[in-house]
Amino acid sequence: MTQYVIRVTGALSDDLLTAFPTLMATVQPLTTVLHGRLPDQAALAGVLERLDELGVPIVEMMQVPDEPAVPLTGPRR
């Protein structure tokens, strides 16, 4: 699974957010940030298509690198 961040224009209502049950949302005054893991490119395309169908303008979309499974402790040499 790959993690994505999608920033859209406007504060999406709870009704609109239900269209994206696999993503978390941070609603800000002028934008909404959808973020979470999607299993593949087809799932990402589905989210982007759904936003388009709903008439929600996409400001930014980016793939976020996964964090290391085991956090590093102490200085590396």
Side-chain angles (χ1 to χ4, degrees):
M1 288 189 127
T2 305
Q3 186 165 319
Y4 293 94
V5 174
I6 305 168
R7 184 179 308 273
V8 300
T9 301
L12 298 185
S13 68
D14 289 338
D15 289 340
L16 284 178
L17 292 176
T18 61
F20 309 99
T22 61
L23 297 174
M24 305 282 291
T26 304
V27 180
Q28 301 168 343
L30 300 176
T31 61
T32 299
V33 179
L34 301 169
H35 51 94
R37 295 183 186 281
L38 296 171
D40 52 31
Q41 291 285 318
L44 173 62
V47 169
L48 298 176
E49 182 177 332
R50 186 72 176 135
L51 287 166
D52 184 52
E53 289 170 356
L54 293 170
V56 178
I58 299 169
V59 176
E60 176 182 33
M61 191 282 303
M62 64 182 158
Q63 181 178 342
V64 180
D66 287 330
E67 294 181 19
V70 178
L72 299 174
T73 57
R76 292 183 70 181
R77 294 181 183 207

